[in-house]
């Protein structure tokens, strides 16, 4: 019998909040970013994302630049505090139960998110999910440069990155009996339209309307 594929968006899907937006808020609270300067731009990028008009490269230049200002070891320690203080409270039992159900069924599980992999890899690990596609920050000689490596996994970029990942394994979406994708955002419609079982999770108004029109399941993972 063919294996199933279970894909999960992260922010506002598995998490009851946004790890990308809150990383900037956390850095401000730690005194590592200037609040007055950074907060307004962070808010604007978040609104652009929700409205479907985010300039992903402008956002990544903004979001990844702070990584280039600190050694990797310092950032890793900082992330542990971020996990404890910010991310753990966003991880719901319903989300963990859904992941565990797919794992128990023997499904190939992956988080696929536009948020950078520095922020998201420890979160995927905390959920017990081995595979992650996130936007990859560029590294040179063990130091983040503030740039991007490869295609950002945003909108159509999620399709591109997933197809590349599967091809490297000698697979394609067609090789799976069922393919699930759980997401809250209309930005993920390019990939949701390709899987056999798209599921809208605590969805934004645009995705909710589209999912209702298509007869897709609409669920909540919030406690």
């Amino acid at each position: 019998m063919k294996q199933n594929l279970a894909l999960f968006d992260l922010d506002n899907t598995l998490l009851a909040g946004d790890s990308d937006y809150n990383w900037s808020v956390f850095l401000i609270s730690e005194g590592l970013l200037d609040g007055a300067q950074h907060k307004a731009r962070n808010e604007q990028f978040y609104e652009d994302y929700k409205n479907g008009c985010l300039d992903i490269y402008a956002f990544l230049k903004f979001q990844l630049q702070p990584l280039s200002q600190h050694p990797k070891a310092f950032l890793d320690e900082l992330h542990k505090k971020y996990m404890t203080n910010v991310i753990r409270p966003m991880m719901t039992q319903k989300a963990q139960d859904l992941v565990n159900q797919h794992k128990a069924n023997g499904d190939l599980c992956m988080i696929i998110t536009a948020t950078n992999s520095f922020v998201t890899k420890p979160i995927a690990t905390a959920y017990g999910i081995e595979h992650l596609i996130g936007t990859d920050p560029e590294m040179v000689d063990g130091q983040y440069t503030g740039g991007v490596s490869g295609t950002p996994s945003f909108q159509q970029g999620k399709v591109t990155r997933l197809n590349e990942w599967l091809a490297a394994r000698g697979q394609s979406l067609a090789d799976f009996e069922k393919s699930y994708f759980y997401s809250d955002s209309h930005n993920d419609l390019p990939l949701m339209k390709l899987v056999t079982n798209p599921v809208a999770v605590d969805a934004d108004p645009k995705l909710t309307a589209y999912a209702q029109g298509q007869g897709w399941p609409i669920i909540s993972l919030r406690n």
Side-chain angles (χ1 to χ4, degrees), residues 28-91:
I28 291 169
S29 73
E30 290 292 304
L32 296 170
L33 289 176
D34 179 78
Q37 197 174 43
H38 211 85
K39 188 173 186 295
R41 291 198 70 201
N42 195 35
E43 295 280 357
Q44 185 58 58
F45 279 125
Y46 192 41
E47 287 303 310
D48 289 348
Y49 170 80
K50 290 189 287 187
N51 292 328
C53 59
L54 177 66
D55 180 337
I56 188 63
Y57 286 100
F59 171 70
L60 289 169
K61 183 177 180 181
F62 164 82
Q63 189 72 339
L64 298 179
Q65 196 267 339
L67 297 182
S68 69
Q69 296 176 339
H70 305 284
K72 178 72 162 56
F74 173 81
L75 292 168
D76 289 341
E77 285 301 311
L78 192 66
H79 197 292
K80 291 177 184 177
K81 185 175 181 181
Y82 179 60
M83 284 292 297
T84 300
N85 294 355
V86 181
I87 295 300
R88 292 282 180 182
M90 293 184 191
M91 296 175 67

Side-chain angles (χ1 to χ4, degrees), residues 17-192:
D18 190 291
S19 64
D20 218 356
Y21 169 83
N22 280 287
W23 173 247
S24 289
V25 174
F26 173 73
L27 292 180
I28 291 169
S29 73
E30 290 292 304
L32 296 170
L33 289 176
D34 179 78
Q37 197 174 43
H38 211 85
K39 188 173 186 295
R41 291 198 70 201
N42 195 35
E43 295 280 357
Q44 185 58 58
F45 279 125
Y46 192 41
E47 287 303 310
D48 289 348
Y49 170 80
K50 290 189 287 187
N51 292 328
C53 59
L54 177 66
D55 180 337
I56 188 63
Y57 286 100
F59 171 70
L60 289 169
K61 183 177 180 181
F62 164 82
Q63 189 72 339
L64 298 179
Q65 196 267 339
L67 297 182
S68 69
Q69 296 176 339
H70 305 284
K72 178 72 162 56
F74 173 81
L75 292 168
D76 289 341
E77 285 301 311
L78 192 66
H79 197 292
K80 291 177 184 177
K81 185 175 181 181
Y82 179 60
M83 284 292 297
T84 300
N85 294 355
V86 181
I87 295 300
R88 292 282 180 182
M90 293 184 191
M91 296 175 67
T92 72
Q93 189 58 51
K94 285 183 180 179
Q96 188 66 71
D97 289 346
L98 177 63
V99 170
N100 292 347
Q101 179 185 330
H102 277 287
K103 290 177 68 177
N105 291 341
D107 300 344
L108 180 62
C109 295
M110 170 190 282
I111 287 175
I112 184 163
T113 173
T115 301
N116 72 78
S117 54
F118 166 76
V119 165
T120 55
K121 182 60 178 173
I123 306 172
T125 299
Y127 271 112
I129 297 176
E130 177 186 358
H131 302 294
L132 168 77
I133 290 176
T135 298
D136 291 324
E138 182 184 59
M139 290 194 83
V140 174
D141 298 328
Q143 175 75 23
Y144 291 114
T145 67
V148 181
S149 177
T151 302
S153 42
F154 176 63
Q155 295 180 340
Q156 184 65 31
K158 284 194 177 182
V159 177
T160 300
R161 291 286 303 280
L162 178 62
N163 286 337
E164 289 173 350
W165 185 83
L166 289 171
R169 293 166 56 93
Q171 293 177 300
S172 70
L173 267 178
D175 293 327
F176 296 92
E177 184 76 27
K178 294 178 182 177
S179 50
Y180 298 84
F181 183 30
Y182 298 89
S183 178
D184 72 295
S185 175
H186 67 278
N187 286 295
D188 284 334
L189 280 170
L191 182 52
M192 295 186 85

